[in-house]
Amino acid sequence: MAEHRRALLSLAEEIAAGLRDERQAAGGLALTVRYADRTSSTRPRTLPEATAHTRPVATTAYELYDQLGLQRARVRAISLRANGLRPASEATQQLTLDPTDDRALAVEAVTGRARTRYGPGTLRPATLATSPTTKYGCR
C-alpha cells in the first residue's frame, strides 16, 4: 500500500506541475486502478474549487484510492486524470489563515523554476526520492 501511495503522490505531482505549466486548473479528478485480472475500477470526484496545486490533488487522489477499499488486490496499474480544465485565471481560491498553505505555494513556485531550468524531477518530495543503490535493484 505504501508503494501505491507513492505512485499517487508522483502522479499528483506530475498533474499539478503540468497544470501550472499550462496555466490551467482542474475542476475534478478521476482515479483508475487496473487489477491483475485485467478488470479496473474508476472513481471520479469533482473538486470543491478548481486547482493546479499538488496538495489538494494528492489529497483527493488518496481519498479516491481509499474509497476503493483495496486490501489484498493485486494492482497492475494506477492512473490519475485531471478533468474539467479551465484557465487558471478563472479559478477561485478560498483564502485561509494557515501558514502551511503559503509555504506549500512557495515551494511549488521554487520547484517550478527549478523544473524550468534543470528539467522535470529536479526537486520532488523526499518520499519519491530513490537512492542510487535501490534504483538498480541493489541494496
Side-chain angles (χ1 to χ4, degrees):
M1 294 301 186
E3 290 177 21
H4 296 173
R5 289 185 71 83
R6 285 185 62 196
L8 289 169
L9 179 58
S10 178
L11 291 169
E13 284 271 321
E14 286 180 42
I15 286 175
L19 288 168
R20 288 190 302 274
D21 289 347
E22 297 297 320
R23 293 177 172 36
Q24 295 283 314
L29 294 173
L31 174 73
T32 302
V33 177
R34 184 169 303 278
Y35 307 105
D37 64 357
R38 300 191 188 270
T39 61
S40 63
S41 299
T42 301
R43 295 291 182 271
R45 164 114 17 114
T46 301
L47 298 170
E49 58 187 31
T51 188
H53 299 294
T54 304
R55 182 178 292 173
V57 171
T59 301
T60 303
Y62 293 150
E63 290 170 358
L64 290 169
Y65 181 81
D66 291 341
Q67 277 183 351
L68 293 172
L70 302 178
Q71 293 179 5
R72 297 183 61 178
R74 291 181 27 198
V75 174
R76 188 176 185 140
I78 298 174
S79 65
L80 187 64
R81 184 177 62 248
N83 50 38
L85 301 182
R86 62 188 70 149
S89 60
E90 293 178 11
T92 59
Q93 182 179 359
Q94 176 66 43
L95 297 176
T96 66
L97 300 176
D98 188 3
T100 57
D101 288 344
D102 293 337
R103 282 187 232 123
L105 296 178
V107 168
E108 282 182 353
V110 169
T111 340
R113 288 194 300 272
R115 189 177 55 254
T116 299
R117 186 168 183 178
Y118 301 109
T122 303
L123 293 175
R124 57 185 157 198
T127 310
L128 300 178
T130 57
S131 68
T133 56
T134 58
K135 185 175 182 182
Y136 303 104
C138 304
R139 287 193 182 256

